[in-house]
Amino acid sequence: MALTALAPAWPADPPALPRVEARSSDLMAVGVVHDDRMTIHVSRIADNAPVRDAVISVVLRGTAHPATAETDGSYSLQSPDLRLPGAAAVDFQISQGSSSQSLKGTLEVAAAAGASEDRNANRQLWWWVLNFAVCGAAFWLFSRRKAAKS
């Protein structure tokens, strides 16, 4: 146990980014969320070729968001709705030429770890400080009483 206390702390793995996968009979869309931005990769299932010339709209939490085509063949969208914690239904509406498809998936965004945990950690720390202060005061009073009897 002493060796583990002296061992250097290994860096923790970064948390996994929220992602959503949706597929139809011939297309697959994968969206990865970082803050308020989603990067979307759309490919054909048959040959895994990227779909570059499509118009994509993403329905998230009941609101349609147009996706912007990027130079690397991906698509992106930016929305503050992507930061909201909890599960959200995502509908990728992909139009390419005369065909149109709707791919549905679920995005799970974890709650921000900083705010509520820090407040509870501070509360817990002050609880322990108060606990030790009360125990110390009780011990001091008990020892003074015992010394006064002698």
Side-chain angles (χ1 to χ4, degrees):
M1 188 145 140
L3 291 177
T4 58
L6 297 175
W10 296 102
D13 290 337
L17 295 174
R19 71 184 265 145
V20 58
E21 255 184 54
R23 61 177 63 214
S24 69
S25 60
D26 59 337
L27 293 178
M28 182 168 96
V30 177
V32 179
V33 177
H34 186 18
D35 291 330
D36 64 345
R37 185 174 183 85
M38 179 187 284
T39 303
I40 305 161
H41 296 277
V42 180
S43 60
R44 297 188 201 326
I45 290 180
D47 59 359
N48 202 26
V51 175
R52 298 182 190 271
D53 56 345
V55 176
I56 298 178
S57 178
V58 180
V59 178
L60 174 68
R61 300 184 194 276
T63 305
H65 303 278
T68 306
E70 301 293 333
T71 57
D72 64 353
S74 66
Y75 299 86
S76 66
L77 72 90
Q78 195 162 0
S79 170
D81 291 342
L82 292 168
R83 290 186 180 190
L84 297 175
V90 178
D91 184 6
F92 296 100
Q93 297 173 348
I94 301 170
S95 299
Q96 187 177 25
S98 62
S99 69
S100 181
Q101 295 187 30
S102 178
L103 288 71
K104 297 179 189 300
T106 302
L107 175 66
E108 182 70 41
V109 178
S116 64
E117 289 181 19
D118 287 345
R119 188 181 72 223
N120 289 336
N122 287 337
R123 190 177 296 164
Q124 184 72 25
L125 173 68
W126 286 111
W127 174 252
W128 280 106
V129 168
L130 178 65
N131 193 9
F132 280 118
V134 168
C135 289
F139 179 73
W140 179 73
L141 287 173
F142 181 73
S143 64
R144 280 185 46 119
R145 183 176 173 197
K146 196 171 187 180
K149 285 185 179 180
S150 307

